[in-house]
Amino acid sequence: MTVYYVDGAFVPAHEAMIPVDDLAILRGIGICDIMRTFHGRPFFVDAHIDRLMDSGIKIGLNLPWTAKNIKQIVFQTLEKNPGLDEANIRIVITGGSSPDFLTPTGRPRLIIMVTPINKLPETWYTQGVKVITLVQERPLAGAKVTAYLPATMAMTRAKAAGAMEVIYIDKNRNAQECTTSNLFAFFGDTLVTPPTDGILKGITRKVILSLAADRFKVSESPIPLEKLLTADEVFITGTNKGVVPVVLIDDTPIGNGRPGSHTQTLMAALADHSKNF
């Protein structure tokens, strides 16, 4: 039986609930983060929780927990779910109930959900994936919030086009990030990723930048869409997906249309890093 932590109590997943006047339900106000385990331990738990706390500051939530409090509850929730081999850990902090049904003036609610990790298609990694582009920007790029309607609508378009993800393009025609992934491109031996001022600071993104620093030239700089389409290799990263090679953007093949050698080097490096975590 899966057990969640909901607003101060551990409950069976099928009994998990919050009041209907919570701003997360009424207005989509809340913050979230997701991490996964390796060998039963949360991967970069402190970095994920720090990002969560920062998201709370950015949207104006008054959080009654410290990062240490939340970390303790994460481990307690894992202990309540001993049957899982490896797990996803989703943390949600809601806007709480509000007298005016609009502004977050009440006490936020903390929810932690531990679930099994679904196996992703092997072809993503061996053959690469197609992604599409969409002119769209996050209203608060640095905050990981629960309001996912734009991403959901974008992914509906992606699935209709036979694509795995969507690259957001800003008003200046620069490629920024994806709905739930960060973006990287190789131009020769130089790895380029968009700067953090317009994107979510991905935890896996940070790990990849560290692993790449000893192997390639690395640049955090804008990537115009026209330039991205000429890249030798493109890949995306995320907590659950790791490193996924991109071989087709809209109707444009990337490189030779197969996962590139530099991307495969970083895929292997991340795998080794995870084993030794």
Side-chain angles (χ1 to χ4, degrees), residues 255-266:
N256 60 11
R258 297 190 298 272
S261 60
H262 292 344
T263 300
Q264 293 178 60
T265 294
L266 291 176

Side-chain angles (χ1 to χ4, degrees), residues 17-54:
M17 61 185 71
I18 60 173
V20 295
D21 65 353
D22 194 295
L23 289 177
I25 296 173
L26 293 175
R27 307 293 183 183
I29 296 175
I31 55 174
C32 59
D33 216 300
I34 181 170
M35 66 190 87
R36 62 156 296 167
T37 63
F38 284 105
H39 318 298
R41 293 184 297 154
F43 192 56
F44 283 90
V45 58
D46 292 322
H48 279 282
I49 293 176
D50 286 346
R51 183 172 68 178
L52 179 80
M53 304 296 283
D54 184 62

Side-chain angles (χ1 to χ4, degrees), residues 186 227-234 246-249 252-260:
F186 272 108
K227 182 179 179 181
L228 179 67
L229 297 178
T230 69
D232 296 296
E233 303 177 35
V234 174
V246 173
V247 297
L248 188 65
I249 298 178
T252 302
I254 300 302
N256 60 11
R258 297 190 298 272

Side-chain angles (χ1 to χ4, degrees), residues 130 132-136 150-163 165-166:
K130 173 184 177 179
I132 63 171
T133 59
L134 178 66
V135 178
Q136 183 161 288
T152 299
M153 295 178 68
M155 284 304 298
T156 298
R157 294 179 62 165
K159 290 178 180 178
E165 251 287 20
V166 179

Side-chain angles (χ1 to χ4, degrees), residues 59-139:
I59 74 165
L61 284 185
N62 183 20
L63 304 183
W65 312 275
T66 64
K68 183 179 179 180
N69 294 151
I70 295 176
K71 183 177 179 179
Q72 288 173 337
I73 299 171
V74 164
F75 279 94
Q76 290 170 358
T77 310
L78 277 174
E79 291 172 0
K80 297 287 185 180
N81 294 275
L84 297 179
D85 180 21
E86 299 290 5
N88 284 323
I89 304 165
R90 289 178 170 84
I91 308 175
V92 177
I93 297 179
T94 73
S97 301
S98 172
D100 67 2
F101 300 99
L102 181 62
T103 53
T105 54
R107 188 181 190 279
R109 293 183 171 92
L110 174 63
I111 301 168
I112 298 176
M113 297 173 282
V114 172
T115 56
I117 291 179
N118 294 323
K119 185 174 177 58
L120 298 174
E122 190 64 28
T123 55
W124 285 8
Y125 305 94
T126 59
Q127 299 177 23
V129 300
K130 173 184 177 179
V131 302
I132 63 171
T133 59
L134 178 66
V135 178
Q136 183 161 288
E137 297 181 56
R138 296 178 189 268

